């Protein structure tokens, strides 16, 4: 047993109540150490390798192959403009990031041709790729500006054979800024530092050497004056990315390029690059990795977690209704606590669950099942045996790999096996029959390796290739979400069930959203939550959120003010979930003070009013890949001041949300993009670009609407109405409204335009025969309003 494991075990045995957990920790540490001793050494003698000098090239569809002395590089431009390159014969598939593992077709117009100084280049409509004679890869705009330069890679390969590790350095422009990498707490702009590409568990990403955040995606979105580009290294192995921002010489000519270094423990060195505006880049990314799943309207409302049995569920729903707080869904772990039996219902706590679900549904509240990936290690149990031979993650000796530190040392299904996914997905029908309308997947990032030390000794199918935990860890949650999403071949009820994951990887958006759960305590947690949601959106995951709950109000660093400010910000995130603590009312709005209740009720009522706008943004995200929550520089990436703005965000194109991120704040500065913006409460107008001071009383956070915007909102009678903001003089505006069709065959999109006519605001709908009268009630805000 390692010393740190023994110390943790002794500390855990501090009382009789904790003795059992302490013994389990000690046993798990001893067992893990014994199993790790049976593994082969992680790194023995290695041989370093670089590509060497170029020898020749072979043109092919969309590009070709460039051969070097000790390696070869394949470069291909796809029909959507995305560039793929890979070393040593690696291809686009198999890949968990691509739907069905299939890559888009090559662009026949792109041609590999000789360049100067022994280099080769591929010229396409939107991008030019230049490969130097030493193996550096340079990405340029059609105008010849360099966006990125990847230096020749280096491999370290075991002398006795096996997967080799590799390193790739790269350079970007001095003014470039980095975004992405999934749900990072330190962001949304990623500054100098090292970021681990390893999905973490509870408390992840906090402190030096810790695991990565809940969701890591090896995607960099780089924005500079020359343009934006997205880089995706399609490799699921454990790795680190070290970033270094550049520095401009203020006209002295002594600029320093930005750049970084990517190190991976194994796997292929293959990469996708998309070039263009942020919107075009994210559209190409969605075309490559798949469109986002479409959530039903209730999934975009207010969801609540915490009740322990049927009586508590009824009481929680009644408390929300009695206090006028909207409630769209309740999350339940309906199984027997501690038994690790997914898809079962504890009849003692929920004797009539279908009846409860139907009663709540009639009043507009759905039930969401919490489904964990840990299975009781009991041969003969239906869930344990259902995956058949090879259905569980295995040790090197072939036995089922146990999950250390949990009662009974349960096991995990191997979701990288197609048969296991199909079997697991079918089990979700059992919960649908109990009345559940959706699922949240938990414990879906197996804790396999700390910042130092050997990996968890588990083996996975990996679609028949076979591999270890370091390769499968990051895609475990993705495969679990895929099983849940694909387990139901078609709609089994009028509303398609929606899947939420806690972790994920590239392509997670195809199967649902991400609700990452806990964030750091105290006020730093607000910035972390904001960073996660923006970062995930820039990696193609439009539906994301973090829990609002007892860590905000009940911890040593929490307060009623913190709870309210967190709720006010989260009310504008794509996914909103509040969470109660272990004591009744602890973490609920009514449990943290009377004034806090009023502010919380106002925030949640505002969320309910904007629900049609969230539905519209969800449909647009599915069609275009554009995130629901966007950084303020989204429409003007050339504005350097906006690129550095990290304390506000855009909800769609037309709303700018400026959350309060520090205690005792009643006014705050807001950086505005170009144009006129209205305070949605006071109606006061501000002109951008620039920095303005706006009121931020305890009752609300600043939310500004773009002049000319048309927003679909929920009226006082519950129907859909349009809120139109007056355009600036000489300007027009507008907006889109997406609703469900009356015949249920698909969404209906309506486009509206606003203009000033005779000093009066006019709103028109663009129909097939030209401008028409709006089909919805219209409420005009701002100058010119009736």
């Amino acid at each position: 047993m390692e010393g740190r494991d023994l110390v943790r075990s002794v500390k855990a045995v501090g009382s009789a109540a904790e003795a059992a957990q302490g013994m389990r920790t000690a046993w798990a540490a001893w067992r893990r150490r014994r199993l790790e001793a049976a593994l082969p050494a992680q790194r023995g003698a290695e041989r370093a390798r670089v590509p060497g000098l170029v020898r020749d090239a072979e043109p092919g569809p969309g590009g070709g192959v460039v051969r070097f002395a000790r390696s070869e590089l394949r470069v291909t431009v796809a029909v959507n403009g995305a560039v793929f390159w890979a070393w040593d014969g690696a291809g686009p598939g198999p890949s968990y990031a691509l739907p069905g593992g299939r890559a888009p077709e090559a662009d026949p117009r792109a041609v590999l041709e000789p360049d100067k100084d022994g280099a080769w280049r591929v010229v396409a409509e939107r991008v030019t790729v230049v490969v130097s004679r030493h193996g550096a890869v340079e990405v340029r705009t059609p105008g010849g500006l360099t966006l990125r330069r990847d230096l020749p890679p280096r491999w370290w390969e075991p002398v006795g054979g096996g997967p080799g590790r590799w390193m790739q350095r790269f350079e970007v422009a001095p003014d470039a800024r980095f975004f992405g990498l999934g749900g990072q707490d330190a962001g949304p702009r990623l500054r100098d530092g090292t970021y681990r590409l390893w999905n973490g568990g509870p408390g992840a990403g906090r402190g030096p050497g810790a695991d990565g955040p809940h969701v890591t995606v090896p995607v960099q979105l780089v924005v500079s004056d020359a343009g934006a580009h997205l880089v995706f290294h399609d490799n699921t192995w454990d790795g680190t990315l070290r970033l270094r921002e550049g520095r401009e010489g203020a006209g002295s000519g002594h600029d320093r390029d930005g750049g970084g270094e990517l190190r991976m423990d194994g796997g292929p060195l293959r990469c996708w690059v998309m070039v263009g505006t942020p919107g075009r880049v994210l559209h190409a990314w969605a075309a490559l990795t798949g469109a986002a799943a479409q959530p039903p309207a209730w999934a975009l409302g207010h969801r609540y977690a915490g009740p322990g049995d049927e009586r508590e569920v009824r009481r929680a729903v009644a408390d929300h209704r009695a206090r006028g707080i909207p409630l769209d869904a309740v999350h339940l772990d309906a199984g027997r606590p501690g038994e690790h039996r997914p898809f079962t219902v504890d009849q003692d706590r929920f004797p009539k669950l279908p009846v409860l679900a139907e009663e709540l549904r009639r009043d507009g509240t759905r039930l969401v099942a919490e489904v964990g990936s840990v299975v009781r290690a009991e041969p003969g149990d239906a869930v344990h045996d259902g995956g058949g031979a090879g259905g569980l993650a295995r040790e090197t000796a072939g036995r089922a790999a146990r999950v250390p530190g949990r009662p009974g040392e349960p096991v995990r299904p191997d979701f990288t096996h197609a048969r296991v996914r199909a079997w697991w997905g079918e089990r979700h029908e059992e919960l649908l029959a109990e009345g559940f309308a959706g699922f949240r997947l938990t414990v879906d990032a197996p804790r396999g390796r700390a910042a130092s030390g050997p990996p968890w000794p588990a083996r996975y199918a990996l679609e028949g290739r076979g591999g270890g935990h370091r390769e499968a860890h990051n895609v475990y949650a993705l495969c679990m979400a895929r099983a849940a999403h694909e387990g139901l071949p078609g709609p089994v009820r009028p509303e398609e069930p929606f899947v939420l994951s806690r972790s994920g990887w590239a392509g997670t958006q195809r199967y649902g959203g991400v609700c990452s759960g806990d964030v750091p305590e105290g006020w730093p947690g607000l910035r972390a939550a904001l960073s996660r949601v923006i970062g995930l959106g820039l990696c193609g995951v439009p539906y994301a959120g973090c829990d609002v709950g007892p860590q905000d109000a009940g911890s040593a660093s929490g307060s009623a003010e913190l709870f309210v400010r967190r709720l006010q910000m989260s009310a504008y995130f794509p996914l909103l979930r509040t969470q109660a603590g272990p004591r009744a009312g602890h973490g609920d709005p009514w449990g943290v003070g009377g004034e806090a209740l009023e502010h919380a009720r106002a925030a949640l009522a505002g969320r309910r009013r904007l629900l049609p706008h969230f539905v519209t943004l969800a449909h647009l995200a599915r069609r275009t890949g554009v995130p629901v929550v966007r950084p303020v520089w989204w429409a003007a990436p050339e504005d350097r001041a906006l690129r550095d703005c990290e304390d506000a965000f855009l909800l769609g194109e037309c709303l700018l949300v400026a959350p309060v991120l520090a205690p005792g704040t009643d006014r705050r500065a807001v950086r505005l993009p170009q144009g006129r913006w209205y305070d949605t409460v006071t109606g006061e107008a501000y002109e951008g670009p620039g920095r303005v001071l706006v009121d931020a009383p305890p009752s609300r956070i600043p939310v500004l609407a773009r002049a000319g915007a048309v927003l679909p909102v929920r009226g006082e009678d519950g129907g859909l109405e349009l809120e139109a903001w007056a355009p600036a003089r000489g300007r027009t505006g507008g907006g889109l409204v997406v609703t469900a069709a009356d015949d249920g065959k698909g969404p209906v999109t309506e486009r509206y335009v606003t203009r000033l006519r005779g000093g009066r605001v006019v709103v028109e709908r663009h129909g097939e025969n030209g401008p028409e009268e709006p089909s919805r009630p219209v409420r005009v805000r701002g100058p010119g309003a009736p």
Side-chain angles (χ1 to χ4, degrees):
M1 182 188 302
E2 295 182 357
R4 59 178 179 272
D5 292 327
L6 180 59
V7 171
R8 283 198 296 264
S9 302
V10 173
K11 287 182 177 180
V13 189
S15 66
E18 298 172 336
Q21 178 61 37
M23 293 301 295
R24 284 194 296 268
T25 303
W27 169 255
W30 176 84
R31 179 181 176 83
R32 184 172 65 249
R33 189 66 174 173
R34 179 176 63 84
L35 292 172
E36 289 165 354
L39 289 174
Q42 292 303 300
R43 287 177 185 166
E46 295 178 318
R47 182 183 295 109
R49 175 170 62 89
V50 295
L53 289 175
V54 67
R55 286 183 172 177
D56 56 34
E58 179 183 344
V65 176
V66 182
R67 298 186 181 91
F68 297 83
R70 291 176 291 276
S71 189
E72 69 176 29
L73 173 68
R74 177 179 297 277
V75 181
T76 304
V77 179
V79 290
N80 64 353
V83 178
F84 173 78
W85 75 69
W87 289 90
D88 293 340
S95 170
Y96 283 105
L98 310 183
R102 297 185 299 272
E105 295 182 3
D107 185 352
R109 299 170 297 175
V111 179
L112 178 67
E113 58 188 24
D115 199 22
K116 59 184 179 181
D117 297 328
W120 292 82
R121 67 180 181 181
V122 179
V123 180
E125 180 181 4
R126 301 177 186 174
V127 66
T128 297
V129 182
V130 178
V131 181
S132 78
R133 63 193 182 99
H134 292 285
V137 180
E138 194 169 299
V139 178
R140 299 174 182 172
T141 66
L145 295 176
T146 298
L147 295 176
R148 182 183 189 90
R149 186 170 186 265
D150 285 71
L151 303 179
R154 179 183 294 270
W155 294 267
W156 290 269
E157 298 165 336
V159 173
R165 55 193 178 99
W166 54 264
M167 178 267 290
Q168 173 95 66
R169 292 192 176 100
F170 60 91
E171 298 171 349
V172 295
D175 67 290
R177 296 292 180 261
F178 298 101
F179 302 88
L181 296 188
Q184 299 285 339
D185 287 359
R189 171 183 161 193
L190 303 176
R191 288 177 166 78
D192 295 4
T194 300
Y195 300 86
R196 191 174 182 204
L197 305 176
W198 184 261
N199 287 349
R206 306 181 194 172
D211 286 349
H214 294 226
V215 184
T216 57
V217 184
V219 166
Q220 308 164 40
L221 182 61
V222 187
V223 182
S224 66
D225 289 352
H229 69 276
L230 181 147
V231 180
F232 168 53
H233 285 90
D234 194 351
N235 186 311
T236 68
W237 284 67
D238 187 12
T240 58
L241 175 64
R242 181 170 59 85
L243 296 177
R244 183 194 71 250
E245 290 187 338
R247 182 178 302 166
E248 295 181 285
S252 66
H254 296 288
D255 292 349
R256 188 192 74 182
D257 287 338
E261 178 182 278
L262 176 64
R263 290 179 176 266
M264 302 298 293
D265 282 355
L269 203 175
R270 56 185 181 182
C271 178
W272 288 91
V273 179
M274 295 95 179
V275 174
T277 64
R280 173 172 286 181
V281 163
L282 267 294
H283 180 69
W285 174 245
L288 178 69
T289 60
Q294 183 67 45
W298 65 262
L300 298 171
H302 172 213
R303 295 172 291 111
Y304 174 79
D309 57 26
E310 182 174 330
R311 178 179 57 84
E312 293 178 7
V313 170
R314 294 185 183 277
R315 182 177 62 188
V317 173
D319 284 342
H320 281 80
R321 291 174 181 164
R323 292 168 172 84
I325 298 176
L327 182 60
D328 297 277
V330 176
H331 285 234
L332 293 179
D333 184 354
R336 191 174 296 276
E339 289 201 354
H340 306 303
R341 296 182 185 274
F343 311 112
T344 61
V345 174
D346 185 349
Q347 295 299 323
D348 293 334
R349 293 190 297 136
F350 299 99
K352 298 180 180 179
L353 188 56
V355 175
L356 172 65
E358 182 57 31
E359 291 177 1
L360 296 181
R361 180 185 292 273
R362 286 199 297 265
D363 292 326
T365 302
R366 274 74 173 176
L367 291 182
V368 176
E370 302 272 318
V371 179
S373 67
V374 178
V375 176
R376 186 180 183 89
E378 184 178 300
D381 179 80
V383 178
H384 179 276
D385 298 345
L392 302 173
R394 299 282 168 177
E395 297 174 357
T396 52
R399 296 166 298 202
R402 302 300 182 94
V403 180
R406 288 182 174 269
E409 288 202 319
V411 295
R412 291 185 186 274
D414 183 359
F415 296 123
T416 67
H417 196 300
R419 187 185 67 249
V420 176
R421 287 196 299 269
W423 155 75
W424 185 268
E426 292 173 356
R427 298 301 300 267
H428 290 75
E429 295 186 11
E430 300 172 20
L431 294 178
L432 291 176
E434 293 285 349
F436 287 104
F439 311 99
R440 180 177 182 262
L441 313 183
T442 63
V443 202
D444 54 356
R447 297 300 298 271
R449 185 165 92 154
S452 61
W456 185 40
R459 304 288 298 176
Y460 296 84
L462 289 170
E463 317 308 322
R465 302 189 311 276
H469 188 75
R470 284 183 297 172
E471 182 178 1
H473 174 92
N474 282 336
V475 295
Y476 189 86
L478 173 77
C479 294
M480 184 180 180
R482 178 181 177 182
H485 179 79
E486 295 180 349
L488 302 170
V492 297
R493 54 179 62 191
E495 292 177 333
E496 188 85 17
F498 193 60
V499 177
L500 295 175
S501 298
R502 186 180 166 280
S503 298
W505 200 68
T508 290
Q509 75 277 358
R510 299 193 297 265
Y511 312 122
V514 171
C515 187
S516 61
D518 58 334
V519 295
E521 291 185 354
W523 290 90
L526 275 75
R527 288 188 177 272
L530 176 58
S531 174
R532 289 184 190 183
V533 173
I534 293 179
L536 285 168
L538 295 178
C539 291
V541 184
Y543 315 123
C546 303
D547 285 350
V548 181
Q551 74 274 17
D552 302 312
S555 67
S557 58
S559 65
E561 180 190 11
L562 173 60
F563 176 88
V564 169
R565 292 306 196 187
R566 175 75 178 281
L567 183 59
Q568 289 171 340
M569 177 181 69
S570 298
Y572 295 94
F573 285 169
L575 300 179
L576 169 64
R577 188 175 88 152
T578 57
Q579 185 178 27
R583 299 190 303 274
H586 182 54
D588 292 316
W590 51 88
V592 291
E595 190 175 80
L597 171 61
E598 294 302 318
H599 301 335
R601 180 188 291 117
L604 292 172
R607 168 74 175 216
R608 173 59 60 91
R609 182 172 177 273
L610 282 176
L611 190 57
H613 185 48
F614 277 101
V615 172
T616 293
L617 293 177
H619 281 282
L620 296 179
R622 177 172 175 80
R623 296 179 189 176
T624 67
V626 173
V628 175
V629 164
R630 310 165 191 176
V632 292
W633 51 259
W634 180 259
E638 70 282 355
D639 189 328
R640 297 190 180 186
L642 291 181
R643 289 208 300 259
D644 294 339
C645 179
E646 301 179 89
D647 60 357
F649 61 91
L650 296 174
L651 179 61
E653 294 183 354
C654 301
L655 290 180
L656 190 155
V657 182
V660 171
L661 304 175
T665 302
D666 57 9
R667 283 176 67 81
R668 61 150 291 177
V670 179
R671 173 73 62 179
L672 295 179
Q674 187 173 9
R676 177 174 295 174
W677 297 83
Y678 297 102
D679 188 308
T680 55
V681 173
T682 66
E684 185 174 354
Y686 302 92
E687 296 293 334
R691 197 173 178 88
V692 298
L693 279 175
V694 296
D695 291 333
S699 59
R700 65 181 178 90
I701 58 175
V703 179
L704 296 97
R706 190 188 298 271
V710 176
L711 303 174
V713 297
R714 182 186 175 102
E716 294 183 1
D717 61 353
L720 178 65
E721 66 178 32
L722 305 178
E723 183 175 85
W725 289 89
R729 187 170 299 278
R731 301 278 185 176
T732 61
L736 296 176
V737 179
V738 183
T739 57
D742 294 335
D743 56 8
K745 292 184 177 180
V748 175
T749 302
E750 299 175 347
R751 182 179 181 182
Y752 292 89
V753 175
T754 58
R755 56 172 52 92
L756 289 175
R757 185 177 296 165
R760 179 172 168 269
V761 177
V762 177
V763 180
E764 298 174 329
R765 181 168 69 95
H766 270 215
E768 296 180 356
N769 301 318
E772 301 175 356
E773 288 293 320
S775 59
R776 317 282 182 178
V778 178
R779 181 189 179 199
V780 177
R781 305 282 304 277

